[in-house]
């Protein structure tokens, strides 16, 4: 029995042991089932995704504040500052600090609203937003306003208002060269012009400050901080000359006002031997200091009418929504228009200015020479052209040779020159002159115009000669102003096509050169001999042709006029508009070409009564630009013997000189004298010292007495010829300085005067009169 009990006990033990093992294995399996996923998750967190979660933890525990880099300065070629940084301050509220300090938020909001010209209710709303650590209420505040905020903080001992120093981009010259320089947006990134094209150099590398933070985004002082310094941006030295730019824009604006130009103007000045752009302008312009503001008063009025119109509609109506959207779209388009650099972005029909390239190609390949003759009867049926081709002069130019064809800007002659060239050679030279390609200027937004397909020019058997002949005198295609200027520069600089550029050097904060641009010759287009011949021909257009109005006494100027139509612009009735672009490309000095100047006026008004042509309007404008910039650029002035009326003499102070000494000095300057009084030495003179008088003028010298001060009224010289103006001025004791066309023809009359009519001036005052042939054609 005991044995049986022992067996039962053993069996019970075995049973208990098996049960325990089952429980153990079951628990082990369950433990493994629970532990393995946890282990895998831990492995993922600590190994596989460690860097991700480490960054996440660091982001939750630290605050990174960006330290902006100082943007580089933009200088002109003479180190005048065109764009720089101005110290400003940003103003923030700390809602948590304001709450903890039990600040009087309504009073603070009211006071800051008055200082910052902001809505106090909005400021109070920001001060109560505890979701954010800081709330900005003032952006790029000037020093004076920031000082008022500090004074308020100190006066009332307020905690929770903070000022952070920053910078704002500023443009000291305002609208000057605005489309070239461009601007930066609110984030400090270049958005247009040089600011955008060279943004990578200008912006530098931002730094940062990393600190730890606790609950409610509060900083944890005395914990951790890491500072990574910002790297200042590089500065740019441009090829632009602020003085030349100002002269160009001044004369362009004068022309816009004088000829009631409706769609602005564009122009540029370039060094023909290097490709450096000294000036580039598009008018109407804008102020990059406030680039969103529209400056054109007519556009502003139109936009305001649109705004008021939709505001009169019910706020939730479809008319209100549609009007508001139309206003926003019109505003945006107006902004884009005034930011646009037309010199490199817009194509236009060059008109007769293109004849320079046609003739250079024909002379270079031998298709014509200086003795080639042309007959112009006013109209001609060109073989292969369906329409009768008319010259601008309906009665024709008669028999003429190559030089006269250019001087007269004869379309019939140039159509025949195009035929002599032939389509293949014409197209080949067009390619060489760079008409079919972008110039490669270091500025974004360049286009390359629109020219004929090669087959239309070359395959005259299939397509006729209309495209070839029209292209030969610059019609029915478009190129950019920069393309034209570069091509004509190659005609006068020995035949070399250059790559134009605006940035001459990039320097870092320590003054080290990072990038330096040098003149780049792409290819030789025509021979040096052809170039020399063309210089003589271009000069003759000013001395004997349609561009006499570009004459500047003492300077040897050449150039070509142009008047073109807008062949692809139509009015609301689908009719092609009659608008014209008048232009002139001038080069000086012609004995050693250095500078090329283009001015184009878009749509002069017929309401002025002045004949619309490049010779009447653009040529004198370029002449005025040349008169301003050539002396400044140290181009030597050489007066011819018959230039006396245009020669400018600055009078010396002859007080104290004897009659003999004074007359000797005046004679050396090409002037004469008449004496008044019986003293031994000069006591006064008319005109006064420092006055500018024309050559051959007579100066009145007073000996022992002073002249009685007498004022005279300036007459209206407009419309007078040289003789009439001289007689009128002489009768009043005034001097006249002849500017522009110096021809004695009765068709050459005064178009502008330096002193307005009815102005009171002293006797002896010199009045600058601009003369022009108001019937000059292109």
């Amino acid at each position: 029995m005991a044995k049986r009990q022992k067996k039962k006990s053993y069996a019970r033990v075995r049973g208990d042991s098996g049960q325990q093992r089952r429980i153990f294995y079951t628990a082990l399996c369950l433990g493994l089932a629970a532990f393995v996923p946890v282990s895998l998750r831990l492995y993922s967190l600590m190994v596989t995704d460690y860097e991700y979660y480490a960054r996440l933890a660091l982001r939750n525990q630290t605050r990174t504040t960006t330290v902006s880099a100082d943007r580089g300065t933009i200088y002109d070629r003479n180190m005048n500052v065109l764009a720089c940084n101005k110290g400003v301050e940003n103003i923030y509220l700390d809602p948590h600090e304001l709450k903890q300090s039990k600040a009087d938020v309504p009073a603070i909001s009211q006071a800051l609203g008055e200082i910052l010209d902001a809505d106090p209710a909005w400021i109070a709303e920001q001060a109560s937003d505890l979701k954010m650590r800081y709330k900005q209420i003032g952006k790029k505040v000037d020093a004076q306003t920031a000082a008022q905020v500090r004074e308020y903080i100190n006066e009332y001992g307020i905690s929770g208002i903070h000022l952070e120093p920053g910078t704002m981009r500023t443009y000291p010259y305002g609208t000057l060269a605005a489309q070239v320089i461009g601007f930066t947006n609110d984030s400090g990134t270049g958005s247009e012009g040089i600011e955008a094209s060279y943004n990578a150099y200008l912006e530098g590398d931002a730094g940062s400050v990393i600190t730890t933070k606790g609950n409610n985004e509060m900083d944890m002082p005395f914990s951790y901080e890491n500072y990574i310094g910002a790297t200042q941006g590089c500065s740019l030295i441009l090829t632009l000359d602020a003085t030349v730019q100002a002269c160009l824009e001044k004369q362009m604006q004068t022309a816009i006002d004088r000829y009631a130009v409706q769609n602005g103007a564009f122009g540029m000045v370039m060094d023909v031997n290097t490709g450096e752009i000294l000036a580039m302008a598009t008018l109407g312009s804008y102020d990059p200091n406030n680039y969103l503001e529209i400056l054109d008063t007519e556009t502003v009025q139109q936009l305001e009418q649109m705004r008021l119109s939709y505001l009169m509609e019910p706020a939730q109506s479809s008319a209100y929504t549609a009007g508001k959207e139309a206003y926003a779209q019109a505003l945006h388009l107006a902004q884009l228009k005034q930011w646009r650099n037309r010199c490199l972005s817009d194509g236009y029909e060059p008109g007769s200015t293109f004849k320079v390239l046609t003739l250079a190609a024909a002379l270079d390949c031998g298709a014509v020479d200086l003795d080639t003759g042309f007959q112009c009867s006013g109209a001609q049926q060109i073989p292969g052209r369906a329409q009768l081709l008319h010259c601008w002069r309906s009665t024709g130019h008669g028999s003429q040779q190559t030089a006269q064809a250019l001087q007269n800007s004869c379309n019939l002659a140039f159509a025949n020159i195009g035929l002599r060239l032939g389509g293949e050679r014409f197209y080949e030279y067009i390619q060489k002159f760079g008409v079919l390609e972008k110039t490669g200027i270091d500025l974004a937004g360049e286009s390359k115009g629109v020219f004929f397909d090669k087959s239309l020019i070359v395959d005259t058997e299939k397509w006729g000669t209309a495209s070839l002949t029209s292209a030969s005198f610059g019609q029915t295609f478009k190129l950019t102003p920069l393309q034209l200027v570069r091509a004509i520069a190659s005609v006068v600089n020995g035949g070399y096509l250059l790559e134009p550029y605006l940035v001459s050097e990039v320097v870092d904060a320590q003054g080290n050169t990072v990038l330096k641009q040098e003149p780049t010759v792409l290819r030789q287009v025509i021979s040096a001999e052809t170039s020399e011949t063309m210089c003589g021909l271009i000069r003759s257009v000013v001395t004997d042709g349609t561009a006499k109005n570009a004459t500047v006494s003492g300077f040897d100027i050449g150039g070509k006029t142009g008047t073109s139509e807008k062949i692809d612009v139509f009015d609301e009735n689908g009719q092609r508009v009659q608008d014209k672009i008048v232009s002139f490309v001038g080069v000086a000095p012609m004995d050693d070409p250095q500078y090329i100047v283009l001015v184009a006026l878009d749509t002069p008004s017929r309401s002025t009564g002045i004949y619309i042509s490049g010779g009447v309007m653009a040529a004198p404008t370029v002449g005025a630009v040349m008169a301003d910039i050539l002396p400044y650029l140290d181009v030597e002035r050489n007066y011819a013997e018959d230039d006396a009326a245009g020669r400018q003499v600055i009078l010396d102070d002859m007080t104290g000189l004897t009659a003999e000494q004074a007359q000797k000095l005046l004679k050396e300057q090409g002037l004469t004298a008449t004496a008044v009084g019986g003293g031994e030495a000069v006591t006064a003179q008319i005109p006064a010292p420092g006055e500018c008088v024309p050559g051959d003028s007579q100066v009145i010298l007073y000996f022992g007495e002073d002249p009685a001060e007498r004022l005279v009224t300036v007459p209206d010289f407009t419309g007078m010829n040289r003789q009439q103006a001289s007689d009128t001025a002489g009768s009043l004791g005034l001097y006249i300085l002849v500017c522009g066309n110096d021809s004695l023809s009765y068709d050459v009359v005064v178009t502008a005067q330096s002193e307005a009519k009815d102005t009171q001036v002293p006797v002896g005052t010199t009045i600058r009169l601009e003369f022009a042939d108001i019937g000059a054609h292109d």
Side-chain angles (χ1 to χ4, degrees), residues 309-460:
S309 178
Y310 82 76
L311 287 176
M312 294 177 65
E313 302 292 338
Q316 303 302 322
S317 68
S318 58
Y320 178 91
T321 302
K324 186 175 181 180
E325 291 177 353
Y327 167 77
Q329 179 69 9
L331 175 61
H332 181 59
L333 291 175
Q335 291 167 342
L336 292 177
K337 181 180 179 181
Q338 67 179 15
W339 297 342
R340 190 172 183 85
N341 187 339
R342 297 182 65 182
C343 291
L344 54 89
S345 296
D346 287 5
Y348 80 111
E349 188 178 280
S352 294
T353 56
F354 194 80
K355 292 172 181 174
V356 172
L357 306 184
T358 301
L359 183 55
L363 288 170
D364 193 62
C365 71
V368 300
D369 57 33
L370 295 180
D371 295 324
T372 302
F374 304 94
Q375 184 66 35
C376 173
S377 59
Q380 182 181 349
Q381 186 63 61
I382 302 291
R385 184 181 176 113
Q387 293 178 325
L388 188 68
L389 182 60
H390 295 271
C391 186
W392 63 262
R393 186 173 184 176
S394 58
T395 58
H397 294 104
S399 178
Q400 54 190 339
Q401 292 183 315
T402 302
Q404 289 75 41
L406 184 65
Q407 293 164 13
N408 295 330
S409 197
C410 178
N411 286 351
L412 298 185
F414 273 86
N416 283 282
I417 291 174
L419 294 175
R420 286 170 177 263
L421 259 173
E424 194 72 49
R425 286 192 300 191
F426 181 78
Y427 201 85
E428 178 185 342
Y429 274 98
I430 291 301
Q431 287 180 308
K432 288 182 179 181
F433 279 124
V435 171
L436 306 181
E437 64 191 29
K438 295 181 180 180
T439 67
I441 191 171
D442 51 338
L443 203 58
E446 182 182 14
S447 65
K448 63 176 182 179
V450 180
F451 198 71
F452 299 99
D453 288 336
K454 184 176 181 179
S455 61
L456 294 175
I457 297 292
V458 174
D459 192 354
T460 54

Side-chain angles (χ1 to χ4, degrees), residues 91-115:
I91 302 175
Y92 298 88
L93 296 180
D94 184 337
H96 296 278
E97 193 175 353
L98 289 170
K99 182 179 180 181
Q100 291 170 0
S101 65
K102 299 181 180 180
D104 186 351
V105 171
I108 291 173
S109 302
Q110 187 64 38
L112 292 181
E114 294 176 2
I115 296 173

Side-chain angles (χ1 to χ4, degrees), residues 675-753:
V676 176
E680 295 184 358
V682 176
T683 54
Q685 65 187 72
I686 293 180
E691 282 283 334
C692 179
V693 297
D696 285 350
S697 293
Q698 186 179 73
V699 179
I700 304 174
L701 300 177
Y702 290 84
F703 293 86
E705 59 182 81
D706 292 327
E709 186 172 336
R710 186 164 64 92
L711 298 177
V712 295
T713 301
V714 176
D716 184 359
F717 289 99
T718 305
M720 296 184 185
N721 58 38
R722 276 273 298 277
Q723 188 60 54
Q724 292 169 333
S726 179
D727 292 345
T728 301
S731 66
L732 295 170
L734 300 174
Y735 296 83
I736 62 169
L737 185 64
V738 176
C739 302
N741 194 328
D742 57 2
S743 171
L744 294 175
S745 168
Y746 281 96
D747 295 327
V748 176
V749 298
V750 177
T751 58
Q753 59 191 72

Side-chain angles (χ1 to χ4, degrees), residues 640-649 666-667 669-673 693-699 735-737:
E641 290 185 4
D642 57 354
D643 267 350
R647 182 160 53 89
Q648 303 177 33
V649 180
L666 291 172
K667 185 177 180 180
Q669 296 176 322
L671 304 173
T672 60
V693 297
D696 285 350
S697 293
Q698 186 179 73
V699 179
Y735 296 83
I736 62 169
L737 185 64

